[in-house]
Amino acid sequence: MPRTKTIQGLTPAEVKELLDQRAIVLVDVREPSEYGAERIHGALNFPLSTFDPAALPGGGRRPVVLHCGSGKRSAGAIERCRTAGVNIGVHLAGGIGAWRDAGLPTVRFDPETGAVLDVR
């Protein structure tokens, strides 16, 4: 039976450091409503429902790192990338939930006031 390639999971601290260094492109595969409600500053949104690995940014010096809410959908997106021959194999382990649990800032929409809260 062929061995499947492992998916590399980065910790929230590792992703934050790489983002701060502008060393990666962070792609959020959650749906637009989830992304609009709360997101990691600087993340691009490529929803899994319309996910096309060929449309992801590529060819530059910064590798793409995927993330979702918990890590499950980003792992599925990595499998789609591999099937399509797109070399992406890294995601934020635990997703934005782990990011929040680590006390890292997010951009959030406040439904009571309509304000966008961007705490960095």
Side-chain angles (χ1 to χ4, degrees):
M1 180 175 252
R3 294 180 63 183
T4 58
K5 293 181 182 177
T6 59
I7 294 173
Q8 181 183 357
L10 299 177
T11 67
E14 290 170 324
V15 170
K16 174 79 166 93
E17 182 178 342
L18 291 168
L19 279 173
D20 289 349
Q21 296 171 358
R22 300 184 187 271
I24 60 169
V25 175
L26 186 62
V27 173
D28 186 334
V29 299
R30 297 174 306 143
E31 295 306 308
S33 60
E34 296 170 287
Y35 179 83
E38 183 177 34
R39 66 187 179 276
I40 296 171
H41 185 79
L44 305 175
N45 188 222
F46 283 72
L48 195 56
S49 62
T50 57
F51 191 75
D52 178 4
L56 291 169
R61 63 176 181 78
R62 298 187 303 162
V64 171
V65 174
L66 303 180
H67 94 85
C68 63
S70 66
K72 184 176 180 181
R73 286 180 281 179
S74 56
I78 287 172
E79 291 303 324
R80 283 189 181 180
C81 289
R82 288 180 175 162
T83 299
V86 175
N87 187 24
I88 294 176
V90 183
H91 75 143
L92 170 59
I96 197 170
W99 181 274
R100 248 190 333 268
D101 289 348
L104 296 170
T106 60
V107 179
R108 288 171 302 177
F109 173 75
D110 182 347
E112 290 185 25
T113 65
V116 175
L117 308 171
D118 184 0
V119 181
R120 289 190 241 176

